[in-house]
Amino acid sequence: WEVLQHMRLMDATRSAATAVVIGAAGDLLMQIFQRQQVAVDLQDPLDTARTARLAAYRMFHAPFIDAAWRLLDTRIRIGGVRGVFAKVLADQTLLMPPSLFTFFLSQGVMEGLSVEQSLARAVDSLVPTATVCLPYWGCVHMLTFSVVRSSMRIAWASTAAVGWNAYMSLQNQRAVARERACTTPSCEPTGATRAADGIGPTEPGLFVACEREGSHKRR
């Protein structure tokens, strides 16, 4: 039993370290790419705080996901393509929603928001982000559960997550911008408003709905 516990601890440590290293490196590379796209002064320092928040989330999230995938292997014994589809479906229905929710919640808390504000951000961002997550990770996990060895899944998923992490960080920064745009106490972004700001596949612009003013502003 002690040997088994040691092996599980080693697996969790390896998963966390792999996810942190690849996730942090990927985020820094994506920041450089994003700065070039928007013509930001390259002499300005990178947002290492953003990278640290992402790495902290990945450090705790990766071992949980690795253990959950191993559990799916033991519970879903259907062979062939049907088995792969079943695992992808289980991942996207059971693991994806809480993963997205905890991402936005954790980022808000680490940014200094109150728990209530962080929960509001998580609730507001969940469904629009999931509409992008489902097709992307559905395709990635067709390989995760078919040709990738179980010991390499976290490394594979972390590599595939480089672009996804950049997208998630971008959505989180947009959520920050929307929250800052509400300068009055009663001015709160609505769900439709935030979805319109690019959390979904389209990016028509930023709307801020102010209840007290009873109007929509476009920035």
Side-chain angles (χ1 to χ4, degrees):
W1 174 253
E2 291 182 359
V3 174
L4 180 60
Q5 289 293 94
H6 178 70
M7 291 178 62
R8 288 177 176 173
L9 178 61
M10 292 296 293
D11 287 340
T13 302
R14 183 179 65 249
S15 297
T18 300
V20 166
V21 171
I22 297 178
D27 183 69
L28 291 173
L29 288 174
M30 289 307 299
Q31 284 193 51
I32 294 173
F33 174 76
Q34 290 167 352
R35 287 150 62 93
Q36 292 174 340
Q37 296 301 305
V38 297
V40 173
D41 185 357
L42 298 181
Q43 298 300 317
D44 291 343
L46 294 172
D47 188 353
T48 54
R50 160 184 144 171
T51 302
R53 290 192 296 268
L54 176 64
Y57 169 78
R58 293 290 294 152
M59 179 175 65
F60 290 101
H61 180 253
F64 167 77
I65 290 297
D66 189 34
W69 286 345
R70 293 176 188 273
L71 181 62
L72 291 181
D73 288 336
T74 63
R75 293 293 187 268
I76 301 177
R77 299 183 177 276
I78 306 171
V81 176
R82 290 189 303 168
V84 174
F85 270 110
K87 291 178 182 179
V88 172
L89 179 62
D91 176 87
Q92 292 298 288
T93 55
L94 300 177
L95 301 180
M96 181 263 283
S99 294
L100 293 183
F101 188 88
T102 54
F103 171 79
F104 287 109
L105 176 63
S106 66
Q107 299 305 293
V109 171
M110 285 188 282
E111 288 165 14
L113 297 182
S114 67
V115 174
E116 182 179 358
Q117 291 171 319
S118 300
L119 283 170
R121 178 189 294 183
V123 170
D124 209 45
S125 303
L126 177 61
V127 173
T129 308
T131 62
V132 181
C133 178
L134 184 60
Y136 178 78
W137 283 107
C139 293
V140 169
H141 288 328
M142 289 298 294
L143 298 177
T144 302
F145 297 115
S146 59
V147 300
V148 179
R149 291 185 302 171
S150 60
S151 61
M152 297 297 295
R153 283 176 179 170
I154 290 297
W156 155 250
S158 295
T159 302
V162 169
W164 178 253
N165 288 340
Y167 173 80
M168 291 288 283
S169 293
L170 179 62
Q171 303 321 308
N172 193 63
Q173 292 306 308
R174 285 175 172 163
V176 172
R178 287 192 298 272
E179 289 157 4
R180 290 175 178 172
C182 284
T183 56
T184 61
S186 62
C187 182
E188 296 293 339
T190 64
T193 296
R194 292 179 177 178
D197 186 31
I199 290 184
T202 59
E203 302 180 11
L206 174 61
F207 289 87
V208 177
C210 294
E211 296 176 357
R212 185 167 69 181
E213 295 179 6
S215 62
H216 286 72
K217 298 179 181 179
R218 185 182 184 100
R219 188 178 68 183

